[in-house]
Amino acid sequence: MATCNRNLSDSCDNVTTTTTTTTTTCLTKCAPPTVSLNVLPDEILEFIFTYLPPYGDLEHCSLVCKRWQLIVKNLVRRSQLNLEKGLADFRLRWEIYSQQTAASLEANSPRLSTGAPLPIIAGRFAHSTVRLGNSMYVFGGGSSSDTTFNDLWRFDLTHMRWSRPLATGTYPSPKGSASMVAWRDKLVLFGGWRYPSLHPPYQPWCLFDELHYYDLVKDRWLARNSLPCPPPMAGHSATVHGNCMVVFGGYQIKDDINVNSNDTWVLDLQEQRWWQPIFVGNTRPAPRYGQIQVELDKHHLLIVGGCGGANRVYTDAWLLDMSRDAWSWKQLNVRNKHFGAVHMWCNPGCRVNNFLVVVGPSPKMPLDFQIMKQSRVPAVGGSALRFGGLGQAPAPPPPLYQQQHPLLRPGQRAPLPERRPGALLPDQQNRGNGRFGGAALPPQEQYLANRRAILDQNMQQAQQFMHNNNVNNNNNNYQPRSGRLSDLHSPPAALPAAAPAAAPAAPDGDADAAQRLQRNLALRCRDNEPLLPKRFDEHYEDPFRMAAFNVPGRSRSASRDHSERIRRMEEKMNAIRNSRRSAPAHVEPQKLRAPSPKRVRCNVQSLFVCDISSLLQRDANNEPGLDWVEYKNFGVLSGAPDRLILSSLIAGNGELILFGGVHKETLTDITHHVSNSIHFLSVPRDII
Amino acid sequence: MSHQPEVLEMRTSDGVLFNVSLKLAQQMGLTHNWLQTEHGELRSSDDDDANIMPLDRVSSEIFKLVLSWCHAIQGIQRSADEKTRLQQDRDVFDNIIRESNASDATIFELIMAADYLNIEGLLEAGTQHVADVINSCDSVEAIRARFNIMCDSEMDN
């Protein structure tokens, strides 16, 4: 008979029989099973457990018997390690849970179906999320139709289901960008903004200073207000340390002025009392909102990124030391900034043990062009482009672009601040100078090879990117080069020599494709209008607008300038296209996709990982700082979600959970495409 | 002779001899090792014992089920997509379980055989099956009852 291969562990009894009992494997049966699952060896059991969602079911398993408990503990530890390793190697993958998958899950699992459709949350952005136990709680946020929510939803991670707790008590007002943290068995919600109500019209934005507690046990909202109280704010960040919640930054109304702040407020969660700490030292982070704040340990927190208004997106990092009575800020050294996320104020980040993970726009392409459509060009003024600036690539990875600048700067006119309205411009160029000053061919070629080899679905985008580079260089009164890809394979020194006079050449009698191309270029060009500072300020000081949350661009003032520039651009386009005739075949203009009305997968999120272990270990050897981890494939992992901003990212068990967000592409439309799907970032399964 | 035979002979732990076509046997990772090491020194057919692959940890009944799974898998069109492939594996597995009215013991032994023979698809299908059963149990007690596991202490934490 069969000899079972089994591990006899001490405490569990294994009974193997030469049985012929007709026990079927469904849940309901009459005869008791006579064989225990414990006959299987540990590794196989562990493998079985990896199939279980790592939340409630795994907890159940850990309670079954001692052996299982050990195995589950092992498994949890290993999955955490795997996640960290996967983060460091960028070997993860995204899985989506959306309405469709929910429906199919419903259909497949017999025991859940009750006939009634399950409720599902509406799409939203700038919501607040927190994870407590095996559930993810989502509150509020802005909707796709210029309204804000004040509903609380719960996503059960064990069963992968949305549900809506029936809450009583004093409901908070609708708000987005509030901060929500979990403390004991309560959720603490503070601050936020909301869209102005439409009637009566032209109402200002509302900022809140309400503080609410949500008691999960009793399902009740409790409002707490005590003086002194921080001013109404939104876009602040909060974390819990011990029994205190520390709130920093935000966009506030102080004495009737909207201003960014770098104040810190502390709420004693037990006594529900606010106080402000005393600081020692003069340095403080610049005023900002939208930063990422993570808790390092009970007395330390880390602030990364944030936005200080127009043209001021920060990528610095600060450590707040709360161990003594007087707190102090310390700026941290951020290393490998070129691998870092750029727009960390509208993109979420969270901490996974020794890493800080940020999900953001993919660094390989200039997202703003591709997103803005030609139809809305006149409306693309300061605000929309500023928003559009969200999608900027942190430039250093495209060495192609960077390559050109340092070489031409000496002789040429200084490039205009080109299509990137963000604050990165001086940074980028400095970086570009530093890194690619000389021969950067191998990275270029490798970069190109990487892109082409891996991003086949985004191949068109890559081409567009290269194309847009041309366009950019045009913007900067750049001399047209002799060909695009030839630059990649030829020494950079050839470039200045190859630069003919920038006279607008006569339009060559081209095929229709070229004409279309030209038109597309021109249209796209309008989107990368150099944004002069003063246009920003106009918008920024509008008291009814907050930079980040500016949704539709209402400025019409720049359209005249636009048409002027467009004409100039078109001439340059012609010149470039002439020179590009000699470009290698695989960069043919015809291959470039005309901007179609439907851009399905043009922008995806990519992952940025930062190593913060040196902060946690506090050894004297390295100066504590942040190291951005070099990404592979630009951080684009398989199954990446579309480019969204103002989504939320939290850490699950061995995975990361991304939810919500608004699709930037349609931001200047009245209706935005907001997402209500959840994306899980986890390690792909391996066989033991 | 390094020419590989069409049919591989396998003997299970209880001494039953099986003739398995090479193609089917290729699904098992164990045969790759076997073919690599043993076949290099293949003596010409006189010494039968040397050409028979021993499966010391698999009994004949289980091996029959394994063979039927492999056979069924060979018959169906393998899709390129990973997910549907897994689903196919599972479906075949479920069919076999149902047809043979397999008990828990059989399933566990099947899983262990798949592990021993290094058949990835079968292992995944089997373990996924068990995981689903665990998943369907709502509480700790239910798991214990279903799989006949003794609770060995008061689990406090």
Side-chain angles (χ1 to χ4, degrees):
Chain A
M1 240 347 263
T3 55
C4 269
N5 189 21
R6 63 176 193 260
N7 282 348
L8 274 179
S9 75
D10 42 23
S11 47
C12 300
D13 57 10
N14 310 316
V15 174
T16 62
T17 70
T18 61
T19 176
T20 53
T21 48
T22 56
T23 53
T24 59
T25 57
C26 67
L27 194 52
T28 64
K29 55 194 168 339
C30 30
T34 48
V35 163
S36 154
L37 186 55
N38 280 325
V39 303
L40 294 176
D42 277 346
E43 314 83 53
I44 295 194
L45 269 183
E46 190 171 326
F47 187 58
I48 293 180
F49 292 156
T50 61
Y51 282 107
L52 302 173
Y55 302 98
D57 292 321
L58 208 57
E59 285 178 4
H60 284 164
C61 286
S62 115
L63 293 177
V64 169
C65 76
K66 261 214 192 115
R67 181 177 173 222
W68 283 34
Q69 192 179 43
L70 279 174
I71 297 182
V72 169
K73 216 178 348 172
N74 233 2
L75 177 67
V76 166
R77 195 173 49 89
R78 188 179 312 181
S79 66
Q80 192 67 12
L81 281 176
N82 277 347
L83 179 66
E84 291 190 37
K85 236 191 319 175
L87 279 174
D89 297 336
F90 284 86
R91 207 179 28 94
L92 300 167
R93 71 147 182 223
W94 291 96
E95 282 174 324
I96 183 175
Y97 176 89
S98 68
Q99 225 152 344
Q100 295 91 332
T101 56
S104 59
L105 272 179
E106 245 312 81
N108 285 346
S109 65
R111 69 189 177 108
L112 290 182
S113 60
T114 53
L118 284 181
I120 193 156
I121 190 172
R124 58 194 61 210
F125 63 94
H127 46 279
S128 351
T129 329
V130 78
R131 176 193 161 200
L132 195 55
N134 288 327
S135 315
M136 175 172 87
Y137 291 92
V138 175
F139 177 82
S143 78
S144 54
S145 44
D146 284 350
T147 54
T148 12
F149 291 113
N150 72 340
D151 52 354
L152 180 71
W153 283 81
R154 180 172 153 257
F155 184 70
D156 186 348
L157 289 162
T158 310
H159 299 117
M160 302 281 268
R161 261 188 305 189
W162 282 107
S163 68
R164 199 162 163 185
L166 290 172
T168 55
T170 43
Y171 248 84
S173 337
K175 52 181 72 172
S177 278
S179 69
M180 181 155 80
V181 295
W183 173 70
R184 298 205 186 151
D185 57 350
K186 297 192 172 45
L187 304 176
V188 182
L189 182 77
F190 175 68
W193 58 266
R194 89 178 150 84
Y195 277 106
S197 53
L198 294 174
H199 297 293
Y202 299 118
Q203 294 222 340
W205 297 86
C206 266
L207 291 179
F208 293 103
D209 60 357
E210 299 175 347
L211 176 69
H212 281 88
Y213 281 72
Y214 182 75
D215 190 334
L216 286 168
V217 170
K218 298 190 227 144
D219 277 341
R220 278 193 56 128
W221 282 106
L222 300 155
R224 286 282 172 268
N225 279 307
S226 63
L227 294 173
C229 178
M233 61 170 84
H236 51 284
S237 54
T239 48
V240 175
H241 298 262
N243 282 337
C244 292
M245 174 170 90
V246 180
V247 173
F248 170 75
Y251 185 78
Q252 298 174 350
I253 298 180
K254 255 197 216 166
D255 308 325
D256 289 340
I257 309 176
N258 290 0
V259 70
N260 290 325
S261 106
N262 57 359
D263 287 338
T264 313
W265 285 82
V266 183
L267 173 70
D268 185 329
L269 290 162
Q270 197 98 18
E271 299 170 27
Q272 297 161 358
R273 195 174 51 86
W274 288 99
W275 51 277
Q276 274 202 296
I278 315 170
F279 282 96
V280 74
N282 295 336
T283 55
R284 270 219 232 169
R288 59 188 70 194
Y289 60 85
Q291 63 278 358
I292 298 173
Q293 178 174 335
V294 293
E295 171 213 358
L296 294 175
D297 60 30
K298 187 155 184 255
H299 297 293
H300 294 88
L301 64 85
L302 174 71
I303 298 269
V304 183
C307 172
N311 261 340
R312 273 194 288 264
V313 174
Y314 298 112
T315 50
D316 52 1
W318 292 78
L319 177 76
L320 176 62
D321 184 345
M322 302 176 274
S323 37
R324 288 176 277 267
D325 281 339
W327 296 4
S328 63
W329 284 104
K330 177 166 174 305
Q331 179 159 27
L332 296 171
N333 184 17
V334 179
R335 298 183 271 260
N336 289 344
K337 244 189 188 170
H338 44 273
F339 291 122
V342 173
H343 284 281
M344 286 187 276
W345 57 280
C346 56
N347 285 307
C350 82
R351 177 185 163 199
V352 176
N353 278 353
N354 282 343
F355 291 105
L356 172 71
V357 180
V358 178
V359 175
S362 187
K364 57 180 158 55
M365 50 197 68
L367 297 173
D368 41 355
F369 310 127
Q370 295 165 339
I371 292 171
M372 296 307 171
K373 309 254 198 22
Q374 54 270 37
S375 53
R376 284 173 279 106
V377 161
V380 171
S383 65
L385 261 191
R386 199 187 319 133
F387 227 150
L390 297 181
Q392 294 170 11
L400 171 63
Y401 154 62
Q402 288 289 357
Q403 179 75 25
Q404 318 309 337
H405 274 268
L407 295 172
L408 289 179
R409 288 247 301 233
Q412 312 282 343
R413 272 179 283 171
L416 291 178
E418 24 93 82
R419 54 191 167 89
R420 299 160 192 274
L424 308 171
L425 194 55
D427 245 8
Q428 288 170 2
Q429 296 192 335
N430 289 339
R431 271 197 297 249
N433 279 335
R435 283 210 328 143
F436 300 103
L441 265 194
Q444 270 181 336
E445 285 182 323
Q446 185 189 6
Y447 157 70
L448 201 60
N450 279 346
R451 274 220 314 235
R452 238 183 273 123
I454 298 167
L455 305 172
D456 40 30
Q457 75 176 356
N458 297 332
M459 177 58 92
Q460 287 169 333
Q461 306 169 45
Q463 287 172 337
Q464 277 179 345
F465 170 72
M466 288 195 273
H467 188 66
N468 289 333
N469 266 338
N470 251 349
V471 163
N472 282 338
N473 294 325
N474 247 349
N475 258 348
N476 307 326
N477 300 318
Y478 186 94
Q479 303 307 331
R481 287 157 292 155
S482 60
R484 271 185 296 138
L485 275 198
S486 58
D487 298 337
L488 293 179
H489 305 289
S490 65
L495 283 170
D508 28 358
D510 272 339
D512 279 353
Q515 296 266 0
R516 201 173 12 105
L517 172 67
Q518 177 186 358
R519 192 175 50 237
N520 295 341
L521 285 180
L523 291 171
R524 261 187 240 125
C525 246
R526 269 181 257 168
D527 298 340
N528 38 329
E529 286 298 305
L531 286 172
L532 305 177
K534 68 168 154 59
R535 270 200 281 146
F536 265 132
D537 289 347
E538 283 170 17
H539 281 274
Y540 181 53
E541 271 150 21
D542 184 340
F544 294 165
R545 296 189 185 288
M546 291 198 293
F549 309 118
N550 223 344
V551 166
R554 301 197 213 279
S555 150
R556 298 285 188 272
S557 60
S559 48
R560 251 170 286 118
D561 300 332
H562 275 296
S563 25
E564 170 62 45
R565 287 203 187 88
I566 289 162
R567 229 168 302 121
R568 267 188 280 139
M569 293 307 165
E570 287 195 43
E571 292 170 9
K572 288 184 196 147
M573 283 310 110
N574 286 331
I576 271 224
R577 241 176 345 85
N578 280 341
S579 56
R580 206 184 306 115
R581 285 298 126 200
S582 54
H586 51 270
V587 198
E588 265 171 326
Q590 283 83 353
K591 271 216 214 139
L592 286 168
R593 185 163 56 107
S596 55
K598 181 168 61 96
R599 282 186 196 259
V600 182
R601 305 251 331 148
C602 124
N603 306 309
V604 292
Q605 301 271 43
S606 69
L607 192 69
F608 300 93
V609 178
C610 175
D611 186 346
I612 54 177
S613 51
S614 59
L615 298 175
L616 301 167
Q617 271 123 28
R618 223 55 63 67
D619 59 10
N621 306 353
N622 338 345
E623 180 197 323
L626 266 60
D627 293 280
W628 287 99
V629 174
E630 171 168 359
Y631 41 66
K632 313 205 163 47
N633 189 21
F634 302 100
V636 175
L637 306 161
S638 73
D642 286 338
R643 174 89 183 77
L644 299 162
I645 58 161
L646 296 175
S647 43
S648 68
L649 183 70
I650 55 174
N653 281 348
E655 57 188 4
L656 293 168
I657 305 174
L658 180 83
F659 170 67
V662 63
H663 205 260
K664 198 165 66 73
E665 172 170 2
T666 56
L667 209 49
T668 53
D669 278 338
I670 298 301
T671 59
H672 326 300
H673 172 236
V674 291
S675 143
N676 68 342
S677 39
I678 309 181
H679 301 266
F680 293 91
L681 180 67
S682 56
V683 185
R685 294 177 46 89
D686 293 329
I687 291 282
I688 41 170
Chain B
M1 308 205 282
S2 52
H3 158 67
Q4 293 181 346
E6 285 299 318
V7 168
L8 200 61
E9 290 179 313
M10 295 178 165
R11 178 165 49 214
T12 58
S13 59
D14 42 357
V16 181
L17 205 60
F18 286 88
N19 283 332
V20 180
S21 78
L22 195 67
K23 193 151 163 279
L24 204 82
Q26 296 282 25
Q27 286 192 26
M28 310 181 194
L30 203 60
T31 56
H32 295 162
N33 293 346
W34 168 259
L35 289 174
Q36 262 180 340
T37 57
E38 295 295 329
H39 246 10
E41 323 139 19
L42 185 59
R43 278 158 245 105
S44 55
S45 77
D46 287 331
D47 201 338
D48 275 338
D49 271 347
N51 301 346
I52 301 177
M53 188 167 135
L55 301 176
D56 287 334
R57 290 200 180 166
V58 186
S59 76
S60 54
E61 285 128 31
I62 300 297
F63 196 56
K64 280 195 205 123
L65 292 175
V66 171
L67 284 180
S68 63
W69 186 89
C70 293
H71 198 72
I73 285 289
Q74 262 194 323
I76 60 183
Q77 188 78 298
R78 297 302 263 159
S79 85
D81 178 29
E82 183 190 323
K83 273 205 166 146
T84 45
R85 234 200 335 261
L86 287 175
Q87 190 56 40
Q88 285 169 338
D89 288 346
R90 282 219 58 195
D91 290 336
V92 172
F93 183 79
D94 288 341
N95 284 340
I96 293 185
I97 298 285
R98 232 195 342 265
E99 284 164 17
S100 62
N101 227 357
S103 66
D104 272 359
T106 320
I107 297 182
F108 300 155
E109 289 184 33
L110 255 178
I111 293 179
M112 289 198 286
D115 187 31
Y116 174 71
L117 294 169
N118 205 356
I119 308 176
E120 194 177 302
L122 181 59
L123 182 63
E124 279 199 2
T127 48
Q128 172 91 64
H129 177 92
V130 175
D132 284 347
V133 176
I134 296 183
N135 223 353
S136 64
C137 294
D138 285 326
S139 73
V140 182
E141 278 308 321
I143 299 181
R144 287 199 193 124
R146 171 69 184 81
F147 291 110
N148 196 26
I149 296 174
M150 285 291 288
C151 168
D152 52 358
S153 73
E154 288 306 316
M155 297 283 162
D156 290 330
N157 18 334

